[in-house]
Amino acid sequence: MFTYFSFYFCFGQKRRSVDKTVSADDNNMCAIDLLATVAGHLSFESGSSLMSVDKLIEDHRVKKEVPEEEKPLMPVAFSEENPYQGSLSPCGFSSVINGKLEDDAEGFSYSGATDSCQVSNFSQDIKPVIDGDAVVSVGSTSRTQVPSIGNCASHGLRDDVNLFSRDDDENFSGYVRPRGTKNSPRSVPRIGDRRIRKILASRHWKGSSRHTDTKPWRNYYLQNQRSYPIKKRKYYDHISDSITDDYRLRTKMHRGSRTVSSMKGQGASFVSSNSHVKLRIKSFRVPELFIEIPESATVGSLKRMVMEAVSTLLSDGHRVGLMVQGKKVRDDNKTLHQTGISQDNNHLDSLDFSLEPSSEMPQLLTSHPLEHAYKEMLPVCEAATTLDNVLESDHHDSALFPSDSLGNNNMTEDSKAMVPMALTDLSPSGTLCRKSKRSEQQQQQAAQRRIRRPFSVSEVEALVQAVEKLGTGRWRDVKLRAFEDADHRTYVDLKDKWKTLVHTAKISPQQRRGEPVPQELLNRVLNAHGYWTQHQLQLQQNVNKQQQETPSQTEALLLH
DNA sequence: CTTAGGG
DNA sequence: CCCTAAG
């Protein structure tokens, strides 16, 4: 009868606990890293250059010697009428992706009508009736940001910036490799604000991971939280959000009505005389969505990105939290009445539903807009540390986040402002705080299996694109090329995904599961797989053959 | 750390 | 996704 239950799709519930220790070193690191970051920002900004498309095309055609990086590039002859035209286009991957996004927007059934509908819901702030009574309205898309967990978002971000880059790896995806762990010399600094932001975003990861993180899965947690470049932070009002709440279902309780309107038609007997509480969820906020998209992109592609981002968020497993008068209700067995959710309760004028990170999700902190990051960095850090301590007492909910602090005072009506953003990259303090949490979290949940994150179609697209070009034996390069920003996708993941893709492509459509991958993509998978498999065989044969001849010839052949 | 494959 | 042998 209550929407509340409908929303209850939780997975894990372990709460991340907190490590209180934040050393002075860490604090210093904050400042230093930030400064360094800013410096990097400035220096990068001054050297931008864009190549014209024509120039690129020219370069591509004329270019004979393929950089080492590109070596096993498919033969030119093959490109005449091969299935890899796209990958050989002057703009390479970028252009393709961009093109794809736009095409998709035109009607490519990516996620179906339902999704589109949802998108429009989000953007238009309509209020669909859910589960009889509750009304959910989703708004403020204009401030929506892409989730750090998001994947599609990363594509969009990546792809639109370096639109006019060359086809070869070096210039195509010369991403900054800010993370200390990634020290590949193969990349060159990119120019433009996105890069800057990336630096900003990544610097302190380096710092934090340098201290404690050694295990891959920890890295996952770390990077998982990275948020993607933020563009218009200035719009966001001062943000203050609970430590655990990701999103928030704001509700208003309406008292007095004994019957649920939607049930009237089904017979009064069902409604009985029991007291019913009518919940009206005024808004459903989805924070931590950062979207950056070229102006030339279509509205449809934007919607799609948002949809994908939102889907990712929701599918990643969250649990619903309920707060009554600012106090979190943990006991699921309590009745609403016992909890104080009653039509007779006069002072109960608002509830708060919240989506909390499941056990597998990292703790999310919220922070202030980027513009304030510098000034408030340390204070925020300290504050958060304090919060951490309080968290330990397990009383944080009511103590630190009385209903007022949740922002329902002036936020219930409009869905504006309230765009909590994860205290991730932009504020070094976030790193510190999260790090401190994580350290204990690590002890508690030993090696935990990562969350399952089905590949989106656009991700598959990107993967296929990269593999078409790079082949099936260079997953690290594939990763760097197409998933540099998707920190939750390791090259092993990509390899595995490719494996399953090949398998998927071979089986009948009826046997496939999950989000359907466009046949066109699967065909490309098959083609590329075949091509590279053969390529490998040839290579092997050459080796064998040459081994019987002169070694020098062998080398020559291999190099060629 | 990367690859390649089985689990 | 995970785990691991191997390079």
Side-chain angles (χ1 to χ4, degrees), chain A residues 408-454:
Chain A
N408 17 9
N409 275 346
N410 37 24
M411 305 266 259
T412 29
E413 305 309 320
D414 56 340
S415 40
K416 78 166 192 188
M418 174 73 182
V419 182
M421 113 193 150
L423 180 53
T424 52
D425 341 17
L426 296 177
S427 163
S429 58
T431 305
L432 291 184
C433 303
R434 247 192 335 283
K435 188 189 71 176
S436 61
K437 285 169 181 276
R438 225 174 291 112
S439 59
E440 182 174 318
Q441 161 191 335
Q442 173 190 358
Q443 298 169 15
Q444 291 190 354
Q445 346 176 173
Q448 176 148 19
R449 192 185 184 88
R450 289 188 298 157
I451 285 185
R452 181 169 178 275
R453 289 177 153 175

Side-chain angles (χ1 to χ4, degrees), chain A residues 252-264:
Chain A
K252 268 274 195 207
M253 270 198 45
H254 298 269
R255 56 182 303 275
S257 74
R258 291 188 176 271
T259 56
V260 178
S261 56
S262 64
M263 304 202 66
K264 281 178 180 172

Side-chain angles (χ1 to χ4, degrees), chain A residues 4-49:
Chain A
Y4 173 78
F5 297 106
S6 306
F7 283 115
Y8 216 88
F9 51 96
C10 70
F11 291 85
Q13 30 237 338
K14 272 181 225 158
R15 152 171 248 102
R16 232 140 266 79
S17 35
V18 183
D19 185 330
K20 285 173 262 193
T21 60
V22 174
S23 69
D25 266 339
D26 288 333
N27 280 301
N28 290 334
M29 190 58 70
C30 271
I32 293 174
D33 268 2
L34 185 58
L35 287 177
T37 291
V38 175
H41 182 141
L42 294 177
S43 62
F44 273 111
E45 199 144 46
S46 56
S48 71
S49 67

Side-chain angles (χ1 to χ4, degrees), chain A residues 136-147:
Chain A
V136 178
S137 68
V138 187
S140 75
T141 4
S142 58
R143 295 179 189 73
T144 322
Q145 306 164 2
V146 169

Side-chain angles (χ1 to χ4, degrees), chain A residues 368-402:
Chain A
H368 307 289
L370 172 59
E371 284 71 19
H372 302 157
Y374 310 120
K375 298 174 188 171
E376 302 182 355
M377 166 178 68
L378 290 180
V380 167
C381 193
E382 289 163 8
T385 305
T386 306
L387 295 189
D388 286 354
N389 293 336
V390 182
L391 274 177
E392 288 282 58
S393 69
D394 202 32
H395 288 310
H396 61 294
D397 299 312
S398 50
L400 291 172
F401 303 107

Side-chain angles (χ1 to χ4, degrees), chain A residues 53 66 130 134-135 145 156 158 214 219 243 249 383 479 498:
Chain A
V53 184
V66 186
I130 293 183
V135 176
Q145 306 164 2
R158 168 176 54 259
T214 50
N219 241 4
I243 287 207
L249 297 173
K479 155 74 178 173
W498 183 262

Side-chain angles (χ1 to χ4, degrees), chain A residues 65 87 136 165 170 178 243 260 394 422 424 470 507 509 522 537 550 552:
Chain A
E65 54 169 15
S87 65
V136 178
S165 56
E170 292 301 322
I243 287 207
V260 178
D394 202 32
T424 52
L470 300 176
I507 63 179
L522 291 177
L537 282 177
T550 60
S552 60

